[in-house]
């Protein structure tokens, strides 16, 4: 029950990176020798290489990614490997790993969001004169052009990128050196470690640094809003692909048919996007619920932060990776729109200003 290595092993590169920076700082401060630091760094880099190549064996009895790496390090370089833990606790170590991991994932998600925006803009440029009904209350309201519709979602996704950027700024401070709760008596240099790891600064309060998961909650909230936007767009597309509308059609690779009803072309990717949105919402609520009753500082409950966080990130990346290519295959059936707009149905005609 206590093991987390089955899922936190994905943090290995960030754990190694943090440990390398910590070892170099210990040597600069004279806490360990330069030779010891060199041996530790070489051992850590060899462990990362083995994990990269898939030949490293993780052990559940060592519980987590930190102890798996540290134990293996000691086997490789001897007792000197144990010096790596000087001035550090697993509490500030995992807080650092997660921040490094989320920083990279935010950058990757932004790239994927921008790719979807580009496809929407291409679609908008191709349909600046394609008129379709705009809806309120799912009733025909005013005529709009398809390009205007596409750019509405481009705006939503732009705000999503802004939220991710804001989140990245707030999480980009380094908790390393905060120890288990109240720092360490060793003469460490937190600022130099933070600089080496690319952080903008250090966490100012050690109790907050080791028990804070606001940054993860904020990230998962931003991801949930992305999924909400994609789900809304998917809902439109599901209707637009129905026989009742027949306005658009996606490529065959993004749809499925039916062995019993061969006339069907189901917009599966849109439907799965709607479904996965609920899953991402659930992950956000799970982490909020985990954190709501935890007193300062670190408690073991916080081990449960990773699975919902990882799942939300995997899910939004999967959906975004599909959505851009799916939009690139869309066929718009302009002829279906023409019959929708006899003049008397317009709710908004253009009159000269009086």
């Amino acid at each position: 029950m206590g093991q987390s290595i089955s899922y936190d092993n994905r943090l290995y590169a960030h754990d190694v990176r943090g440990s390398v920076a910590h070892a170099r700082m210990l040597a600069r401060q004279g806490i360990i020798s330069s030779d010891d630091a060199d041996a530790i760094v070489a051992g850590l880099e060899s462990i990362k290489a083995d994990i990269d190549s898939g030949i490293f064996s993780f052990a559940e009895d060592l519980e987590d990614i930190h102890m798996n790496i540290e134990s293996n390090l000691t086997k490789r370089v001897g007792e000197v490997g144990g010096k790596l833990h000087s001035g550090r606790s697993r509490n500030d170590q995992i807080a650092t790993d997660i921040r490094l991991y989320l920083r990279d994932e935010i950058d990757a998600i932004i790239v994927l969001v921008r790719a979807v925006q580009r496809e929407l803009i291409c679609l908008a440029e191709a349909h600046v004169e394609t008129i379709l009904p705009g809806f309120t209350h799912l009733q025909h309201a005013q005529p709009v052009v398809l390009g205007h519709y596409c750019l509405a979602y481009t705006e939503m996704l732009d705000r999503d990128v802004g939220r991710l950027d804001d989140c990245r700024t707030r999480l980009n401070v380094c908790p390393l050196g905060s120890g288990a709760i109240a720092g360490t008596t060793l003469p460490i240099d937190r600022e130099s470690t933070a600089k080496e790891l690319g952080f903008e600064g250090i966490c100012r309060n050690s109790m907050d640094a080791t028990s804070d998961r606001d940054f993860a909650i904020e990230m998962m909230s931003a991801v949930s809003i992305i999924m909400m936007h994609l789900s809304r767009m998917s809902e439109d597309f599901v209707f637009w692909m129905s026989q009742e509308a027949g306005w658009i059609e996606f490529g065959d690779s993004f749809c499925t048919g039916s062995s019993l009803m061969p006339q069907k072309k189901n917009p599966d990717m849109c439907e799965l996007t709607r479904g996965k949105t609920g899953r991402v919402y659930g992950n956000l609520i799970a982490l909020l619920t985990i954190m709501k009753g935890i007193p300062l500082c670190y408690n073991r409950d916080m081990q449960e932060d990773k699975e919902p966080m990882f799942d939300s990130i995997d899910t939004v990346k999967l959906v975004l990776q599909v959505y851009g290519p799916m939009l690139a295959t869309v066929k718009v059936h302009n002829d279906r729109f023409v019959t929708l707009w006899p003049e008397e149905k317009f709710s908004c005609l253009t009159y000269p200003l009086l």
Side-chain angles (χ1 to χ4, degrees), residues 230-337:
L230 296 174
S231 183
R232 292 182 68 186
M233 185 160 38
S234 296
E235 173 67 14
D236 282 336
F237 291 160
V238 169
F239 171 67
W240 291 8
M241 273 194 67
S242 68
Q243 285 91 339
E244 284 71 21
W247 299 349
I248 65 168
E249 184 178 342
F250 289 114
D252 291 347
S253 59
F254 299 98
C255 303
T256 62
S258 168
S259 58
L260 180 64
M261 298 166 285
Q263 80 281 5
K264 295 185 67 180
K265 188 172 183 180
N266 302 323
D268 281 16
M269 297 305 105
C270 294
E271 294 171 0
L272 286 168
T273 297
R274 287 187 313 192
K276 290 179 182 294
T277 300
R279 173 175 171 170
V280 171
Y281 288 1
N283 289 334
L284 172 60
I285 296 301
L287 186 51
L288 285 167
T289 305
I290 289 165
M291 295 301 299
K292 74 175 181 64
I294 296 180
L296 286 178
C297 291
Y298 180 87
N299 289 261
R300 193 65 181 272
D301 316 44
M302 294 168 67
Q303 179 175 302
E304 296 298 309
D305 61 353
K306 297 169 196 64
E307 287 184 288
M309 179 179 66
F310 293 156
D311 185 68
S312 288
I313 290 169
D314 291 347
T315 300
V316 75
K317 288 171 70 176
L318 175 63
V319 171
L320 288 166
Q321 286 164 358
V322 169
Y323 229 88
M326 182 182 73
L327 288 171
T329 71
V330 69
K331 294 179 182 179
V332 179
H333 300 304
N334 297 35
D335 57 307
R336 296 283 293 181
F337 297 131

Side-chain angles (χ1 to χ4, degrees), residues 101-113 164-165 168 219:
Y101 168 79
L102 287 182
R103 200 171 64 185
D104 288 347
E105 291 299 329
I106 286 172
D107 293 343
I109 292 169
I110 287 175
V111 169
L112 293 171
V113 172
L164 290 171
D165 278 335
R168 193 188 192 284
M219 163 68 166

Side-chain angles (χ1 to χ4, degrees), residues 38-202:
D38 290 343
I40 289 170
V41 169
L44 289 168
E45 290 175 345
S46 70
I47 289 171
K48 181 180 181 297
D50 286 352
I51 300 175
D52 286 342
S53 62
I55 63 174
F56 188 94
S57 296
F58 294 106
E60 285 196 359
D61 61 314
L62 292 173
E63 290 191 351
D64 57 33
I65 188 62
H66 320 302
M67 295 309 298
N68 268 263
I69 289 176
E70 189 170 323
S71 175
N72 197 272
L73 177 66
T74 303
K75 290 178 182 178
R76 296 186 188 214
V77 304
E79 291 184 2
V80 66
K83 296 182 179 181
L84 177 61
H85 211 59
S86 303
R88 187 176 70 170
S89 162
R90 279 191 286 178
N91 293 357
D92 59 340
Q93 188 176 358
I94 187 56
T96 304
D97 289 0
I98 295 174
R99 288 173 188 261
L100 291 171
Y101 168 79
L102 287 182
R103 200 171 64 185
D104 288 347
E105 291 299 329
I106 286 172
D107 293 343
I109 292 169
I110 287 175
V111 169
L112 293 171
V113 172
R114 292 303 193 198
V116 174
Q117 285 182 296
R118 284 193 295 271
E119 292 298 337
L120 286 168
I121 291 169
C122 287
L123 192 59
E125 289 175 340
H127 292 280
V128 294
E129 295 183 356
T130 301
I131 299 174
L132 72 158
F135 291 87
T136 60
H137 310 282
L138 206 57
Q139 304 290 316
H140 287 193
Q142 292 177 298
V144 297
V145 295
L146 180 55
H148 195 50
Y149 172 92
C150 294
L151 293 179
Y153 279 101
T154 304
E155 291 291 328
M156 295 182 206
L157 293 173
D158 219 44
R159 293 194 297 272
D160 291 328
V161 170
R163 274 183 282 270
L164 290 171
D165 278 335
D166 289 345
C167 177
R168 193 188 192 284
T169 298
R170 273 184 287 278
L171 70 79
N172 199 28
V173 288
C174 186
L176 201 59
S178 297
I181 178 172
T184 175
T185 58
L186 294 176
I188 62 173
D189 182 354
R190 294 185 62 202
E191 287 80 6
S192 70
T193 308
K195 183 177 180 180
E196 182 170 345
L197 291 172
F199 288 108
E200 292 297 323
I202 62 172

